[in-house]
Amino acid sequence: MTTSDRGFLQALWDFFCSLKLAIFLLILLAATSIIGTIIPQQNPLPPEYIAAIGGTGSMKFKVYSTLGFFDMYHSWWFILLLYLFTVNIVACSIKRLPRVWKTISEPTLVMDEGFERTLTLTHDFKKEGDAADLNEKMKAFLKSEFAEPVVTERDGEFHLFAQKSPYSRLGVYVVHLSIVIIFIGALLGSFFGYKAYVNIVEGSGASTVMSRKGVPIDLGFTVKCEDFSVSFYDTGAPKEFKSLLTVIDGGKVVIDKRPVIVNEPLTYKGITFYQSSYGPADEGGLYHLTVRERKGGAPVRLSLSMGERKVLPDGSAVQLLEATDEIGRFIPQFRGPAVRVAVEPKSGEPQAFIVFQNYPEFDVQRGADHIFTYEGADLKMFTGLQVAKDPGVWVVWLGCTLMVVGCCMAFFMSHKRIWIRVRKGHVTLGGTANKNQPGFQLAFDTLVDKLKTL
């Protein structure tokens, strides 16, 4: 290896060992993550959002697509930032950990005068007695008030050393390790897992889901939606929607009618089904209306599918235009199901109006020749499920646990060290802590006061 090669490698090593690089990458990761919270990260994208940025042919859409903003956390540049950050913290740990470990495993046992001058806290006082007697007193004192000391005798002097929480110095490296483990878990989920979705009509099942890229994925078992229900707030907003799911594997029911609501998913064989959306199924829906003439006569019962047109006995035609299970979302003054119909009388202008199920006499006020009553519908709903398989989730949990432990060690624990040098009629006390110096100084002063009273 030439000198220039060694110089380049050393420069590269120093670059990745830089704390400035770690801070820069952390800020960059946090800043770019904002993109993922602003721009929808789903496939297909909501039509409203596509329209808001000018459609799929707009320059903004093309730029976003090219940069991977619609699946940002899987984009090449975001993954590259994570790789760089991982290499950075590993390099920092490799460079600094041996020195920290030496501090823990090979502490300075003798407080000579040179070392004493490097300590932040020292106190010197006279004490009656020879060195051996004072050594025994100091040893017992440290053991009872601080920690078991190590005693070293040198040139007729006794040096006592005691420490607390030495391994708290490793807290930052535990955090580094936890980040690497979380990153590994995320990669496992990215390479060997998937996120997909599926819509299942009530009474039917699905054994295949669609990935976010539109690729069908075989589950290896069948998920059946036995029933679906939804409740609403007074404002018309959905309060809770619930699916009863059955899992059939190898022809056997392994999970029977398990309720699945938002934040209470169903997991089977490492695949998790989250309640995501719902809606009326296109197939098989019939809406029932009763029509009676204002001048009297027997009412006529109609059953219409969406968009269907039927002719009344007097020659007028009725067509079903729209339906909703909660009109309060569109007209806050009303509640319950409603339909919108169009009537084409034999003579006169066509009319389109809303018929409310919970207000059967409301249509009387319209003053038309025909009075409509909405009786309800025989509908099937579909449940929309997000499907996720993430084999790295337990690795991520392990990393998160280690991160909590590491943060507690790094922020709430301190490596405290005390030295005592004893010679005939003289005692010198020194101490230091790697964190919370003001708090340690109070503890040190308390030790000094107690020592003087021995």
Side-chain angles (χ1 to χ4, degrees), residues 160-294:
L160 291 82
F161 169 74
Q163 61 179 344
K164 274 186 174 180
S165 307
Y167 294 103
S168 65
R169 288 180 177 268
L170 299 178
V172 65
Y173 303 100
V174 174
V175 173
H176 287 181
L177 177 63
S178 71
I179 293 173
V180 174
I181 290 175
I182 290 173
F183 185 45
I184 292 172
L187 288 179
L188 285 174
S190 178
F191 288 123
F192 302 106
Y194 57 79
K195 289 185 178 179
Y197 64 90
V198 63
N199 293 336
I200 307 176
V201 178
E202 286 179 289
S204 65
S207 57
T208 303
V209 298
M210 299 297 293
S211 74
R212 302 178 75 173
K213 296 181 179 178
V215 179
I217 300 171
D218 184 20
L219 293 173
F221 54 87
T222 300
V223 179
K224 184 179 179 182
C225 178
E226 302 284 359
D227 188 30
F228 179 83
S229 61
V230 58
S231 59
F232 298 90
Y233 292 104
D234 292 340
T235 59
K239 182 178 181 181
E240 179 187 86
F241 37 106
K242 179 172 66 177
S243 303
L244 287 182
L245 300 183
T246 294
V247 177
I248 303 168
D249 192 357
K252 297 180 180 178
V253 174
V254 291
I255 297 177
D256 190 19
K257 297 179 181 177
R258 159 75 187 278
V260 174
I261 60 176
V262 176
N263 296 328
E264 290 187 17
L266 164 70
T267 299
Y268 180 68
K269 285 190 172 179
I271 302 173
T272 304
F273 298 85
Y274 299 90
Q275 184 67 67
S276 174
S277 61
Y278 68 93
D282 294 333
E283 57 190 59
L286 280 179
Y287 301 83
H288 307 295
L289 296 104
T290 299
V291 186
R292 68 180 191 275
E293 294 191 31
R294 185 174 293 276

Side-chain angles (χ1 to χ4, degrees), residues 279-421:
D282 294 333
E283 57 190 59
L286 280 179
Y287 301 83
H288 307 295
L289 296 104
T290 299
V291 186
R292 68 180 191 275
E293 294 191 31
R294 185 174 293 276
K295 62 185 181 183
V300 177
R301 193 166 193 271
L302 298 175
S303 293
L304 300 170
S305 57
M306 189 59 67
E308 187 179 5
R309 184 174 180 273
K310 282 189 176 180
V311 178
L312 296 174
D314 68 347
S316 301
V318 179
Q319 185 179 14
L320 180 63
L321 301 178
E322 293 178 287
T324 178
D325 52 0
E326 179 51 59
I327 192 63
R329 283 175 284 177
F330 310 99
I331 308 176
Q333 297 89 343
F334 296 94
R335 293 287 179 271
V339 293
R340 184 167 172 263
V341 298
V343 176
E344 300 175 21
K346 281 188 69 177
S347 60
E349 294 294 324
Q351 291 183 341
F353 51 91
I354 297 174
V355 185
F356 304 94
Q357 183 176 0
N358 292 349
Y359 310 94
E361 297 302 320
F362 186 84
D363 196 49
V364 177
Q365 304 173 30
R366 192 166 51 87
D369 293 337
H370 295 96
I371 300 171
F372 285 76
T373 305
Y374 180 34
E375 305 290 347
D378 294 327
L379 289 177
K380 284 188 175 180
M381 303 289 287
F382 75 80
T383 179
L385 303 172
Q386 284 191 356
V387 186
K389 181 180 180 181
D390 189 351
V393 66
W394 289 109
V395 180
V396 172
W397 275 113
L398 173 63
C400 292
T401 304
L402 278 178
M403 182 172 285
V404 172
V405 173
C407 287
C408 289
M409 292 170 66
F411 293 110
F412 301 112
M413 298 176 71
S414 173
H415 182 198
K416 307 180 188 72
R417 293 175 290 174
I418 294 288
W419 290 266
I420 296 179
R421 184 174 64 239

Side-chain angles (χ1 to χ4, degrees), residues 34-83:
I34 296 173
I35 297 173
T37 64
I38 296 175
I39 297 178
Q41 303 289 299
Q42 61 188 80
N43 191 9
L45 289 168
E48 300 83 3
Y49 180 76
I50 295 177
I53 61 174
T56 55
S58 66
M59 180 60 72
K60 185 181 284 186
F61 184 90
K62 290 177 181 176
V63 171
Y64 285 7
S65 297
T66 304
L67 295 177
F69 284 178
F70 300 129
D71 191 12
M72 199 205 74
Y73 300 110
H74 295 87
S75 61
W76 66 268
W77 55 267
F78 192 78
I79 299 291
L80 178 62
L81 286 177
L82 291 175
Y83 275 123

Side-chain angles (χ1 to χ4, degrees), residues 88-230:
N88 176 225
I89 61 174
V90 170
C92 286
S93 299
I94 291 174
K95 183 177 181 179
R96 292 167 176 79
L97 182 58
R99 189 170 55 191
V100 173
W101 182 251
K102 186 175 181 180
T103 302
I104 297 171
S105 60
E106 301 176 19
T108 301
L109 300 178
V110 175
M111 183 177 66
D112 54 25
E113 292 183 355
F115 181 69
E116 182 185 345
R117 286 193 290 271
T118 67
L119 298 177
T120 54
L121 299 173
T122 58
H123 192 85
D124 189 85
F125 60 96
K126 294 181 179 179
K127 192 76 175 174
E128 293 293 334
D130 59 26
D133 291 339
L134 288 175
N135 172 54
E136 290 302 320
K137 287 183 179 179
M138 297 301 115
K139 185 177 177 181
F141 172 78
L142 276 182
K143 184 177 180 181
S144 62
E145 298 292 335
F146 190 71
E148 178 79 34
V150 177
V151 180
T152 305
E153 184 177 2
R154 177 181 292 180
D155 301 330
E157 296 179 341
F158 292 94
H159 298 265
L160 291 82
F161 169 74
Q163 61 179 344
K164 274 186 174 180
S165 307
Y167 294 103
S168 65
R169 288 180 177 268
L170 299 178
V172 65
Y173 303 100
V174 174
V175 173
H176 287 181
L177 177 63
S178 71
I179 293 173
V180 174
I181 290 175
I182 290 173
F183 185 45
I184 292 172
L187 288 179
L188 285 174
S190 178
F191 288 123
F192 302 106
Y194 57 79
K195 289 185 178 179
Y197 64 90
V198 63
N199 293 336
I200 307 176
V201 178
E202 286 179 289
S204 65
S207 57
T208 303
V209 298
M210 299 297 293
S211 74
R212 302 178 75 173
K213 296 181 179 178
V215 179
I217 300 171
D218 184 20
L219 293 173
F221 54 87
T222 300
V223 179
K224 184 179 179 182
C225 178
E226 302 284 359
D227 188 30
F228 179 83
S229 61
V230 58

